[in-house]
């Protein structure tokens, strides 16, 4: 937010031990290019550290953001994007970064990393949140609480298309070939309509609230060609499945996706992920990031069946006013009745109500 600096001066106070040459600042629109240039070259950074998430989260959900960066002599040394979620149903949190699978501090300097984390902790105290959360690929705060709930799946893309096909385990490869034999084809969309139809149909079937169309439009508008929609179409021209993927450095990450009722009969989702991998191979991308899944879920099993090995994600929590760790996920038994009710709700009504709920889940 442009007025955050004056609204939260305590959060910008540097500790007495801070090196004199390092300053801590809040991201402003005129600094987006500098911020993103740092993110591209910082080994710890991910697509979810990009500056574009600030306007997306603010405009799509109305949440306050604090995107901190540390610099010395005009050079950025570290970044930490944060957003606040305040909900009477799901609690009060400060997260790096909600709606994203990765986050936390990304820095090339130990001093910068320490200062950024201290700023986040001071802000969490000022805001009186229940907890501060980092979503990290590697551990960042050894003294914080953590959960063994999420894993990510990442695998190298071979330069040879056939080698990638043969690397898929036999049973899963048969499903991909089923989609090919069904005559499915992929098309790149600039608009979100076909994607939203496939996605909203899929999450409704799972009993999960849907994000708004506005959110997906903002993602596409903000990240441009680095946010791509690929739709799978039947020989009859009907939408079978669709996926919104992010591209970062040499990686492709299918992030939001889903299949229509037709997808199961023709292995639409299986074909979709193969087709994305095939296209990425042709464009010389080197890593396929299948994204996070919860342990013990169908999504976890699906990705394992592709021959990907799970890698633990380190979601770390510093408790402030909360007495226990958050548990806002579909595996929580208290949400099972809600899920069953949601599945029975008409799709149009679910799409109307869903965005008002999901924006507070993060």
């Amino acid at each position: 937010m442009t007025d955050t600096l004056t609204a939260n001066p305590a959060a910008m106070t540097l500790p007495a031990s801070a090196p004199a040459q390092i300053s801590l600042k809040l991201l402003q629109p005129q600094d987006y290019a500098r911020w993103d240039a740092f993110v591209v070259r910082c080994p710890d950074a991910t697509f979810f550290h990009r500056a574009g998430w600030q306007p997306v989260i603010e405009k799509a959900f109305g949440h306050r953001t604090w995107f901190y960066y540390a610099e010395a002599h005009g050079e950025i040394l570290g970044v930490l994007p944060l957003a606040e979620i305040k909900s009477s149903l799901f609690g009060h949190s400060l997260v790096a970064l909600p709606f994203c699978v990765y986050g936390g501090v990304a820095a090339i300097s130990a001093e910068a990393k320490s200062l950024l984390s201290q700023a986040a902790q001071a802000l969490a105290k000022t805001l009186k949140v229940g907890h501060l959360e980092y979503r990290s690929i590697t551990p960042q705060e050894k003294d914080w609480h953590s959960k063994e709930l999420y894993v990510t799946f990442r695998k190298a893309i071979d330069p040879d298309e056939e080698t990638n096909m043969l690397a898929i385990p036999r049973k899963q490869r048969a499903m991909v070939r089923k989609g090919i034999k069904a005559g499915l084809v992929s098309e790149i969309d600039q608009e979100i309509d076909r994607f939203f139809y496939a996605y909203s149909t899929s999450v409704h079937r799972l009993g999960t609230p849907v994000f708004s169309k506005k959110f997906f439009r903002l993602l596409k508008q903000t990240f441009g060609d680095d946010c791509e929609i690929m739709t799978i179409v039947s020989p009859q021209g009907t939408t079978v499945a669709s996926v919104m993927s992010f591209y970062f450095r040499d990686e492709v990450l299918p992030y939001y996706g889903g299949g229509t009722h037709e997808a199961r009969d023709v292995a639409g989702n299986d074909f979709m992920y193969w087709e994305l991998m095939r296209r990425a191979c042709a464009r010389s991308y080197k890593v396929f990031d299948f994204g996070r899944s919860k342990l013990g879920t169908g999504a976890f099993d699906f990705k394992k069946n592709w021959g990907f090995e799970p890698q633990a994600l380190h979601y770390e929590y510093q408790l402030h006013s909360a007495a226990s760790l958050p548990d806002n996920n579909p595996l929580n038994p208290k949400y099972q009745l809600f899920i069953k009710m949601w599945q029975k709700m008409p799709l149009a009504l679910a799409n109307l109500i869903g965005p008002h709920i999901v924006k507070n889940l993060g």
Side-chain angles (χ1 to χ4, degrees), residues 209-285:
V210 69
F211 286 104
S212 67
K213 274 191 171 184
K214 179 181 179 181
F215 174 53
F216 294 114
R217 287 197 186 99
L218 282 167
L219 286 172
K220 183 61 181 162
Q221 292 168 5
T222 301
F223 296 114
D225 291 341
D226 292 337
C227 175
E228 182 184 81
I229 298 171
M230 186 187 74
T231 298
I232 304 303
V233 182
S234 72
Q236 294 74 37
T238 58
T239 298
V240 175
S242 190
V243 60
M244 174 179 280
S245 302
F246 299 137
Y247 290 86
F248 181 70
R249 291 194 286 241
D250 59 354
E251 305 176 6
V252 57
L253 196 163
Y255 201 62
Y256 295 108
T260 65
H261 297 289
E262 185 182 352
R264 181 180 294 272
D265 295 334
V266 294
N269 287 321
D270 307 270
F271 175 81
M272 176 174 71
Y273 290 115
W274 160 249
E275 184 67 359
L276 181 65
M277 185 182 295
R278 185 192 66 79
R279 283 175 172 267
C281 171
R283 294 164 61 182
S284 300
Y285 282 87

Side-chain angles (χ1 to χ4, degrees), residues 76 101 124 181 189 209 268 271 277 283 303 318 324 329:
I76 295 179
V101 296
K181 291 177 181 178
D189 285 345
F271 175 81
M277 185 182 295
R283 294 164 61 182
K303 294 171 186 178
Q318 184 185 58
S324 60
N329 76 83

Side-chain angles (χ1 to χ4, degrees), residues 10 27 30 88 97 217 224-225 234 274 343 355:
L27 179 64
Q30 63 267 24
S88 56
L97 192 62
R217 287 197 186 99
D225 291 341
S234 72
W274 160 249
Q343 290 170 323

Side-chain angles (χ1 to χ4, degrees), residues 45-353:
T46 69
F47 182 86
F48 304 100
H49 287 87
R50 288 188 55 174
W53 286 99
Q54 183 180 53
V56 167
I57 289 174
E58 290 180 355
K59 293 176 182 177
F61 307 111
H63 298 317
R64 293 194 295 173
T65 65
W66 290 262
F67 276 44
Y68 288 114
Y69 66 94
E71 71 172 2
H73 309 297
E75 178 185 358
I76 295 179
L77 302 176
V79 299
L80 175 58
L82 293 158
E84 177 191 21
I85 296 181
K86 193 172 186 178
S87 166
S88 56
L89 288 176
F90 303 112
H92 188 192
S93 61
L94 184 65
V95 185
L97 192 62
F99 313 104
C100 299
V101 296
Y102 310 140
V105 179
I108 57 173
S109 155
E111 293 84 0
K113 182 176 182 179
S114 177
L115 287 177
L116 288 164
S117 193
Q118 289 179 59
Q121 294 172 51
L123 178 60
K125 183 177 180 180
T126 299
L127 296 175
K128 297 180 173 61
V129 301
H131 70 273
L132 169 63
E133 176 182 349
Y134 290 170
R135 298 179 176 181
S136 307
I137 297 178
T138 57
Q140 294 199 1
E141 300 291 344
K142 63 180 181 180
D143 296 328
W144 292 16
H145 300 276
S146 62
K147 275 187 177 183
E148 293 184 1
L149 177 62
Y150 292 107
V151 297
T152 189
F153 293 84
R154 293 165 54 84
K155 188 176 182 180
I157 301 174
D158 193 272
D160 179 68
E161 179 181 314
E162 187 62 20
T163 300
N164 290 314
M165 174 66 84
L166 294 176
I168 303 172
R170 182 177 56 82
K171 289 185 178 180
Q172 186 59 49
R173 189 164 67 243
M175 295 299 290
V176 172
R177 296 198 187 281
K178 180 179 179 180
I180 295 173
K181 291 177 181 178
L184 302 181
V185 296
S186 63
E187 298 176 356
I188 302 301
D189 285 345
Q190 297 304 317
E191 303 298 329
I192 69 163
D193 293 335
R194 293 197 297 183
F195 160 78
F196 189 78
Y197 167 65
Y199 159 78
S200 62
T201 300
S202 181
V203 297
H204 179 254
R205 192 164 58 246
L206 295 172
T208 304
V210 69
F211 286 104
S212 67
K213 274 191 171 184
K214 179 181 179 181
F215 174 53
F216 294 114
R217 287 197 186 99
L218 282 167
L219 286 172
K220 183 61 181 162
Q221 292 168 5
T222 301
F223 296 114
D225 291 341
D226 292 337
C227 175
E228 182 184 81
I229 298 171
M230 186 187 74
T231 298
I232 304 303
V233 182
S234 72
Q236 294 74 37
T238 58
T239 298
V240 175
S242 190
V243 60
M244 174 179 280
S245 302
F246 299 137
Y247 290 86
F248 181 70
R249 291 194 286 241
D250 59 354
E251 305 176 6
V252 57
L253 196 163
Y255 201 62
Y256 295 108
T260 65
H261 297 289
E262 185 182 352
R264 181 180 294 272
D265 295 334
V266 294
N269 287 321
D270 307 270
F271 175 81
M272 176 174 71
Y273 290 115
W274 160 249
E275 184 67 359
L276 181 65
M277 185 182 295
R278 185 192 66 79
R279 283 175 172 267
C281 171
R283 294 164 61 182
S284 300
Y285 282 87
K286 300 184 184 306
V287 177
F288 192 93
D289 187 329
F290 230 147
R292 81 175 185 189
S293 291
K294 301 179 188 72
L295 293 168
T297 63
F300 175 94
D301 294 336
F302 179 78
K303 294 171 186 178
K304 279 275 290 182
N305 290 342
W306 277 75
F308 285 61
E309 288 299 321
Q311 174 187 342
L313 286 176
H314 300 271
Y315 283 22
E316 300 166 321
Y317 307 83
Q318 184 185 58
L319 298 184
H320 286 260
S321 64
S324 60
L325 298 180
D327 195 17
N328 298 326
N329 76 83
L331 297 181
N332 188 332
K334 74 178 184 180
Y335 294 125
Q336 294 309 303
L337 178 61
F338 171 84
I339 290 172
K340 292 177 181 178
M341 292 174 57
W342 199 266
Q343 290 170 323
K344 295 178 181 179
M345 187 182 299
L347 178 61
L349 182 59
N351 288 350
L352 180 65
I353 300 174

